[in-house]
Amino acid sequence: MIIPTDRPRTIPHLSPRLLQIMKLVAEGRTNEEIGERLHLRTDTVKTHLRRAYKILRARNRCHAVALCLVYGLVTVEELRPFSLPPAPASAAAVRRAA
C-alpha cells in the first residue's frame, strides 16, 4: 500500500464537534463510549458520524479515520496508545508447566 506524502489540495471542513468525534473514533472508541464521554445519545453519535462520512466521502468508519489521517485532521500523536491483551501461553509452555 502506498501512502501519499503530500496532502490533498482541498481539505474537507469538519465542525469542532465532528472533529472531536472523529478523533475518538480514531482512538478506537465505540459509539457507546463516545456517547458516554461527550454526554450524547448513541443515536446522536451515529448521526454525527454519518455527517462526517458524507463530508469526507468515506465508505465506512475505517475509511473515515484513514482520510482524517491523510488530510491531517487527526495525527498519530493524538491517538491513545493501544493496550493489547496478554498473549496466550503457547501449548509447549503449558505442557512444560504441567
Side-chain angles (χ1 to χ4, degrees):
M1 172 185 223
I2 299 173
I3 298 174
T5 55
D6 55 332
R7 302 250 189 270
R9 290 182 189 190
T10 305
I11 297 174
H13 174 73
L14 295 180
S15 69
R17 178 58 110 187
L18 291 180
L19 190 55
Q20 183 181 33
I21 288 173
M22 285 308 307
K23 286 181 181 182
L24 292 171
V25 169
E27 289 180 1
R29 310 248 182 220
T30 65
N31 292 346
E32 292 77 18
E33 290 171 333
I34 294 168
E36 288 173 14
R37 187 148 202 211
L38 301 179
H39 307 289
L40 299 172
R41 290 180 41 223
T42 303
D43 288 341
T44 305
V45 173
K46 290 177 185 178
T47 299
H48 284 312
L49 286 173
R50 279 192 298 272
R51 185 173 298 126
Y53 296 168
K54 185 174 182 179
I55 292 169
L56 294 167
R57 302 177 92 187
R59 294 184 298 271
N60 54 44
R61 191 178 192 95
C62 184
H63 189 211
V65 169
L67 289 171
C68 283
L69 287 166
V70 168
Y71 290 134
L73 300 173
V74 175
T75 63
V76 175
E77 292 78 24
E78 293 174 302
L79 305 181
R80 70 182 167 118
F82 288 94
S83 56
L84 299 174
S90 68
V94 171
R95 282 193 298 268
R96 281 189 297 245

